[in-house]
Amino acid sequence: MYPPHLLVPMREDLTSVGFQELTTPDEVVETMESTKGTMLVVVNSVCGCAAGAARPGVKAALANSQVKPDKLVTVFAGADLDATAKMREFLLPYPPSSPSIGIFKDGELVHFIERHHIEGRSAQMIAQHLEMALEEFCDPANA
């Protein structure tokens, strides 16, 4: 576990652009079971690839994409352990990966970007990848 005060800017990096933070297993289950349409899930992390590629790439994709998911949520690996473990159940069959990015459509995981797809790539590359996925899976009516 990391000291909570050190995580504030990393959390705000996503919550400041509309992500809802899920901090308990119950919040994860309720959100996953009640959300219709498309949902973007970011498993946040303190690592350098989260700060340098994942979070900036996600924000750029959302800013640039013509289509948007219906809901934006995040869990924080290394901080909200139980919530992250519960979210990872919904991300199966993929192994635990942080940071990572998933797109759900009507409760079904339809696209997943694992850590090894984030490490060593620029924020721009992550953004381009995610923009293409959003265009494929999100309803253009949400643009």
Side-chain angles (χ1 to χ4, degrees):
M1 292 284 291
Y2 296 97
H5 69 280
L6 293 179
L7 303 179
V8 170
M10 296 174 222
R11 292 177 183 275
E12 289 176 349
D13 208 9
L14 293 175
T15 59
S16 68
V17 295
F19 279 83
Q20 174 190 356
E21 224 176 3
L22 306 177
T23 60
T24 69
D26 289 343
E27 289 175 339
V28 171
V29 170
E30 180 182 332
T31 299
M32 297 305 290
E33 292 179 350
S34 67
T35 300
K36 303 295 182 225
T38 53
M39 179 168 46
L40 181 64
V41 174
V42 175
V43 179
N44 202 352
S45 173
V46 299
C47 71
C49 62
R55 292 191 303 264
V58 166
K59 293 189 309 183
L62 290 171
N64 296 330
S65 180
Q66 296 298 313
V67 292
K68 311 286 188 235
D70 298 307
K71 190 164 189 75
L72 306 170
V73 300
T74 183
V75 294
F76 207 115
D80 302 318
L81 303 179
D82 294 336
T84 302
K86 182 54 74 177
M87 180 59 76
R88 287 179 169 154
E89 292 176 19
F90 290 95
L91 296 170
L92 290 171
Y94 294 96
S97 181
S98 56
S100 59
I101 305 161
I103 299 175
F104 286 82
K105 188 166 189 170
D106 295 327
E108 179 184 345
L109 181 64
V110 294
H111 191 77
F112 192 62
I113 303 172
E114 296 177 82
R115 178 187 176 109
H116 70 267
H117 293 123
I118 296 169
E119 286 180 307
R121 291 175 174 81
S122 68
Q124 181 181 14
M125 292 171 73
I126 302 304
Q128 289 171 340
H129 178 153
L130 188 54
E131 283 177 60
M132 288 188 298
L134 292 172
E135 288 174 17
E136 181 176 349
F137 297 109
C138 294
D139 184 350
N142 295 333

